[in-house]
Amino acid sequence: MSILCATDFSRGASGAATVAALLAARRRLALWLVHCASPEALAAAAEPVREGLQALLREEATRLRHLHADVHTALLEGAPEQVLAPFAAQRTARLVVVGAAARRAPFEGVGGSLDRIAQATALPLLRVEDPAPFEAWLSASRPLRVLLGVDRSRGTQAARAWLAELQEAGPLEVVAGHVFHAHDEARRLGLPQPRTFDEVTPELQRALERELGALAGPRPDGGPVPLRLRAGLGRVADDVVALAREEQADLLVVGHHPHKALSKLWSVGHHALRLAPMAVAAVPVRASASHGELPLPTVRRLLVATDLTESGDAALPLALALAPPGSQVHLVTVLRAQPSVDERRATERLLRQRVPWGLHGREVLVEVLWGDDPALALTQAAERLDADLVCLGSRGRGTLARAVLGSVAQEVLALSRRPVLVLRTAAR
């Protein structure tokens, strides 16, 4: 395996090559130092130009070998976004390192070669702004300060997996950052709407901290990763970069999704690579998936729903049996109108009576929900509770109905961002 560093022989590229060489030496990987020559540069005097570029590569490789790196060089012909990816695959590269662009694009929504490389490669892309923090880190002078951008996408899982790999080179101080729109999150969680765009109620703060803290994962010592939340209004990337600046991060790490055409205008990774004053690692989802690094999902919390009818209860034993030891089960039902205190307590007793024996090591909590739309109430509760799995029964009536799901189950499947397991009960 290897690390690939693309250079244009600029000062920024030289700093990136230094970081790549130190990382390769620390991890005992080969370093491929490559330059991509455009066909236009070779058109007039191909051989003299090739010889000059190869001489520059040899000179830079000699410098990097003094850092104890196993350096190889290659002169590639073609646009970087076209030739780097296949070359990296041939050399089983684990990382692509580049320097900061010499000039910022006048309009950040359309991309130069850096953006095209990020879109084309299936590998993490590390853009180095200043090599000094990495040199201090890899010389064991201090940990590398990292801001990890977290959200509810697979990109966070990919970024976490890559950070675990980076941790092998030296200690990291990781802070997780998340930018959210308060009104959207309150609606998703079924909480009261804030009065202003940046108001964060205590209920909303607690719900987001619980949910995103789990996504950020633990520190190497097992403690929780510190979490920074920011209510935003405009482009998310601007706030993520601002969080990284406030945390004095040496490196901003974000999950990166392939985007095409104008859709990349909304990509956090796309803008972070361009805007951030610190180093940025954009980790594509397919990078972790291709190496089998994404962990199996852990079911920590289940939401199990019943309508308190015989057929609605029939799926409960199987749904509860899916809860692994140490998990938390929320057994809920939905009423059409807000119950009185006595009605709520009576309904909670009915729910507790339905909890079967044999759930040792599993915590079961009961809750009465209410609302005109049962499916919406269930999906909002699943978000609020940060449920890993939603289980509910479905029953059909008549020949046609047996072929389709019940209406509430259909709506939950349509609305839920969480995995939903619909358990069909036997026809009676």
Side-chain angles (χ1 to χ4, degrees):
M1 293 190 290
S2 65
I3 292 175
L4 187 150
C5 179
T7 180
D8 59 4
F9 308 112
S10 65
R11 182 176 179 179
S14 177
T18 297
V19 172
L22 291 171
L23 271 174
R26 175 63 61 88
R27 301 194 57 200
R28 299 182 180 180
L29 299 175
L31 172 63
W32 279 93
L33 183 68
V34 303
H35 175 76
C36 301
S38 66
E40 292 81 6
L42 301 173
E47 287 309 313
V49 171
R50 283 195 187 94
E51 291 175 4
L53 293 173
Q54 287 171 343
L56 289 173
L57 281 170
R58 287 194 296 270
E59 180 181 348
E60 181 71 341
T62 299
R63 180 184 73 86
L64 298 176
R65 291 190 182 104
H66 291 152
L67 302 174
H68 309 291
D70 177 20
V71 186
H72 308 266
T73 63
L75 178 61
L76 308 179
E77 297 184 18
E81 66 272 15
Q82 296 174 345
V83 298
L84 281 179
F87 184 85
Q90 293 169 5
R91 300 301 186 275
T92 60
R94 298 289 291 161
L95 175 67
V96 177
V97 183
V98 296
R103 294 181 302 166
R104 299 292 186 187
F107 175 53
E108 303 294 349
V110 294
S113 60
L114 179 60
D115 182 55
R116 292 194 294 270
I117 291 170
Q119 296 298 319
T121 183
L123 296 171
L125 175 66
L126 173 62
R127 190 268 286 154
V128 177
E129 187 77 20
D130 179 8
F134 290 87
E135 292 175 318
W137 168 53
L138 292 168
S139 66
S141 297
R142 66 175 180 85
L144 191 71
R145 288 188 58 80
V146 178
L147 183 91
L148 169 65
V150 298
D151 58 18
R152 287 174 288 275
S153 73
R154 289 177 58 209
T156 294
Q157 293 178 302
R160 279 180 53 190
W162 184 75
L163 274 181
E165 186 176 325
L166 189 66
Q167 182 87 35
E168 298 174 6
L172 307 176
E173 286 184 0
V174 180
V175 175
H178 176 73
V179 177
F180 63 96
H181 296 153
H183 283 275
D184 293 343
E185 291 297 89
R187 186 181 306 111
R188 177 179 68 88
L189 296 166
L191 297 174
Q193 283 291 305
R195 292 166 294 182
T196 62
F197 82 92
D198 58 350
E199 181 189 19
V200 182
T201 64
E203 296 85 359
L204 180 57
Q205 181 80 17
R206 286 193 296 269
L208 292 176
E209 286 178 349
R210 178 173 58 184
E211 180 180 18
L212 294 161
L215 292 173
R219 298 195 310 256
D221 62 5
V225 171
L227 179 64
R228 284 287 310 277
L229 300 176
R230 176 183 288 242
L233 183 63
R235 192 167 60 183
V236 173
D238 295 330
D239 286 303
V240 171
V241 170
L243 278 176
R245 189 184 291 111
E246 291 171 8
E247 290 296 325
Q248 299 181 327
D250 305 312
L251 173 64
L252 169 60
V253 180
V254 293
H256 185 57
H257 300 267
H259 291 271
K260 295 181 180 180
L262 291 179
S263 63
K264 66 186 177 186
L265 291 172
W266 290 270
S267 165
V268 174
H270 164 77
H271 291 295
L273 283 168
R274 297 163 164 273
L275 299 173
M278 69 289 296
V280 175
V283 185
V285 170
R286 55 183 179 269
S288 281
S290 63
H291 295 287
E293 295 168 349
L294 292 180
L296 291 174
T298 301
V299 179
R300 303 163 293 114
R301 197 172 291 110
L302 290 86
L303 185 144
V304 180
T306 176
D307 62 1
L308 300 176
T309 65
E310 181 181 358
S311 54
D313 293 342
L316 286 182
L318 179 57
L320 294 170
L322 296 173
S327 63
Q328 188 179 76
V329 179
H330 291 263
L331 181 59
V332 305
T333 192
V334 182
L335 304 180
R336 292 285 180 177
Q338 182 174 355
S340 65
V341 174
D342 290 339
E343 289 172 333
R344 181 174 57 79
R345 289 174 178 171
T347 307
E348 287 175 348
R349 280 197 300 272
L350 292 175
L351 286 171
R352 281 191 287 270
Q353 290 171 4
R354 284 160 168 78
V355 178
W357 297 100
L359 287 178
H360 305 296
R362 302 160 179 85
E363 182 183 11
V364 181
L365 304 174
V366 300
E367 184 176 356
V368 179
L369 310 174
W370 60 86
D372 293 335
D373 187 340
L376 180 60
L378 287 172
T379 54
Q380 288 177 334
E383 295 293 328
R384 198 164 54 248
L385 297 169
D386 190 21
D388 300 300
L389 184 63
V390 178
C391 298
L392 67 161
S394 176
R395 62 185 185 276
R397 295 188 180 89
T399 304
L400 178 62
R402 291 192 186 97
V404 297
L405 296 173
S407 60
V408 173
Q410 280 184 310
E411 292 175 27
V412 170
L413 284 170
L415 291 173
S416 180
R417 303 182 185 184
R418 310 267 170 171
V420 178
L421 179 62
V422 179
L423 303 169
R424 289 298 302 269
T425 57
R428 294 180 181 273

